Amino acid sequence: MLREDLGAGLELALAVPQHAEALFELIDAGREHLRRWLPFVDATRDVDHTRAFLKDQLRELAEGRALSLVLFHHGRAVGVLGLNRVDAVNRVASVGYWLAEDATGQGLMTRAVRRLVELAFAHFPVDRIEIHCAVDNRASCAIPERLGFTREAVLRRALRAHEFVDDRVVWGLLREEWEG
C-alpha cells in the first residue's frame, strides 16, 4: 500500500522520506498543541530530523516491526499514525497517532486508525493491538473507545512529555473481538 483513498477526501499514504517537509511543517506549526502530549516535538528541529525518522520507519517496515502512515485530508498532510513495536513473539503491537489541531473533532483519525487495525490484523503477526493514551487526552482516548477497544488499565505517572507527567490508559483489542 503506497496510498489508499478512504473516501470523503481522506487518504492514507505510506510514510516515506518525500513527506519530510510537509510533516516537519505540520509539527513546527503545531508545536504548542503537540508538545503537550508528544515527547518528540522539541527534538524535531529541522527537516533532516524528520527525514531520518521516515527512513528509520521504512527500515522497520522492511523488518516487519512497524508501519507508519501519513494521513491526508483534501490533499494536505494532517497527521501521522502507525503500528509501532510489533512483537512477533508475543503477537502484540501498539498503535500511535497524532493529528494537527485544526483537523481534530472530525472523526478523521478514527477512520484512519480503523483502517490501520484492519491492516495490522491482515498483514502482521499480531493477535492483540494496544493503544496507550494520556488519561487527560480525551480526544485521543475517544478513538479506541469508538473502535471497540477495552480500557484495561491505568498506569500511574507513566507518560512523560516535556514538563508534563500523565497517567497512561492502556486500551486493548484482540483479533477475535475485531473479527467478531
Side-chain angles (χ1 to χ4, degrees), residues 17 31 33 37 40 42-43 54 72 78 80 86 92-93 113 129 131 134 144 151 154 156 159 171 175:
R31 272 183 202 286
H33 166 70
W37 310 111
F40 70 82
D42 284 358
L54 294 169
F72 289 89
V78 294
V80 173
V86 175
V92 176
V113 171
I129 296 176
I131 296 178
R151 183 179 167 137
V154 175
R156 296 176 301 148
L159 193 59
W171 298 86
R175 177 185 293 276

Side-chain angles (χ1 to χ4, degrees), residues 43-58:
T44 305
R45 287 288 168 208
D46 57 44
V47 164
D48 290 336
H49 180 272
T50 305
R51 189 173 291 109
F53 167 77
L54 294 169
K55 287 179 182 177
D56 286 345
Q57 290 304 292
L58 287 176

Side-chain angles (χ1 to χ4, degrees), residues 6-173:
L6 299 181
L10 198 61
E11 291 181 289
L12 283 176
L14 181 64
V16 295
Q18 291 82 351
H19 294 134
E21 286 186 28
L23 292 180
F24 176 74
E25 288 173 11
L26 196 59
I27 293 165
D28 202 38
R31 272 183 202 286
E32 188 174 326
H33 166 70
L34 296 172
R35 81 179 300 275
R36 170 61 183 95
W37 310 111
L38 302 172
F40 70 82
V41 172
D42 284 358
T44 305
R45 287 288 168 208
D46 57 44
V47 164
D48 290 336
H49 180 272
T50 305
R51 189 173 291 109
F53 167 77
L54 294 169
K55 287 179 182 177
D56 286 345
Q57 290 304 292
L58 287 176
R59 181 183 41 75
E60 294 225 350
L61 173 62
E63 295 168 358
R65 296 187 294 140
L67 171 63
S68 289
L69 304 170
V70 178
L71 182 60
F72 289 89
H73 190 228
H74 298 296
R76 175 182 159 248
V78 294
V80 173
L81 63 153
L83 191 64
N84 308 314
R85 298 183 306 271
V86 175
D87 176 350
V89 172
N90 292 303
R91 300 186 61 83
V92 176
S94 178
V95 167
Y97 43 83
W98 61 266
L99 193 60
E101 188 172 18
D102 66 351
T104 61
Q106 302 172 53
L108 304 179
M109 191 57 78
T110 300
R111 289 174 50 207
V113 171
R114 177 180 288 113
R115 182 61 181 134
L116 178 61
V117 169
E118 291 170 354
L119 291 168
F121 284 135
H123 300 290
F124 286 83
V126 297
D127 292 321
R128 172 185 169 78
I129 296 176
E130 295 180 352
I131 296 178
H132 294 214
C133 307
V135 169
D136 293 332
N137 191 339
R138 299 200 194 305
S140 190
C141 286
I143 292 169
E145 187 172 12
R146 277 188 218 109
L147 295 177
F149 282 67
T150 299
R151 183 179 167 137
E152 296 180 338
V154 175
L155 309 177
R156 296 176 301 148
R157 293 174 49 182
L159 193 59
R160 296 183 183 276
H162 313 289
E163 67 271 16
F164 304 101
V165 180
D166 294 292
D167 293 349
R168 177 187 302 211
V169 180
V170 178
W171 298 86
L173 179 70

